[in-house]
Amino acid sequence: MPAFSLEPAQTGWCAELRTLAADRLRPLAEEGEPGRINRPLLAELGRLGLLTRLFTSGALDLCLMRESLAHACTEAETALALQGLGAHPVHAHGSRDQRQRWLPRVADGSAAAAFALSEPGRARTRPRSPSPRSPTAPAAGA
């Protein structure tokens, strides 16, 4: 007998998520442009209520959600994980105003959360211009 097993409701939810990922998220992911934020995919994750769960679910539910999405659409799982990674510091440590400003937009998919990390002693005090290859770099002649 296994030491751990999922409840029937959890198993059913995983199956539902795999179906949603295959039917609704994968087509949006396939239309995305490599190296760019897939805003329609983020918006659909928001419409489905999956991004909101980043702030309300426990670890097991988040793992089940990520595994179920990845089963049919790795791009959807990656987008969900990155929204969580970028928004968690605001959720956990942001001011009331920051949480009110950003978390609803992250949850509905209208804002793409970001995360930056630096090595000790490597933080720059002045911003650099974006690389010409950067997705945020302005178009030539703009």
Side-chain angles (χ1 to χ4, degrees), residues 52-76:
T52 299
R53 293 186 75 128
L54 291 169
F55 311 118
T56 61
S57 295
L60 177 59
D61 282 347
L62 290 173
C63 288
L64 293 175
M65 184 166 50
R66 290 184 62 188
E67 151 58 35
S68 298
L69 292 176
H71 185 268
C73 182
T74 57
E75 293 89 343

Side-chain angles (χ1 to χ4, degrees), residues 2 4 15 23-24 37-39 42 47 49 56 59 66-67 77 80 85 94 97 105-106 109 112 118 120 122 126 133:
F4 174 82
D23 295 348
R24 292 175 63 177
I37 295 171
N38 188 328
R39 296 211 180 258
L42 282 181
R47 273 190 292 280
T56 61
R66 290 184 62 188
E67 151 58 35
E77 186 280 327
L80 179 101
L85 178 66
D97 289 343
R105 294 177 59 207
V106 169
S118 175
R122 296 302 226 171
R126 295 182 2 219
R133 296 180 309 188

Side-chain angles (χ1 to χ4, degrees), residues 10 14 17 23 33-34 37-39 43 46 49 51 64 71-72 92 95 107 116 120 128-129 136:
Q10 292 169 315
C14 290
L17 286 173
D23 295 348
E33 187 178 335
I37 295 171
N38 188 328
R39 296 211 180 258
L51 297 175
L64 293 175
H71 185 268
S95 68
R128 296 185 304 171
S129 298
T136 59

Side-chain angles (χ1 to χ4, degrees), residues 55 84 91 102:
F55 311 118
H91 180 254
W102 291 108

Side-chain angles (χ1 to χ4, degrees), residues 7 43 48 55 75-76 88 96 102 117 125:
E7 298 292 326
L48 292 171
F55 311 118
E75 293 89 343
H88 178 73
R96 183 173 180 260
W102 291 108
L117 184 65
T125 56

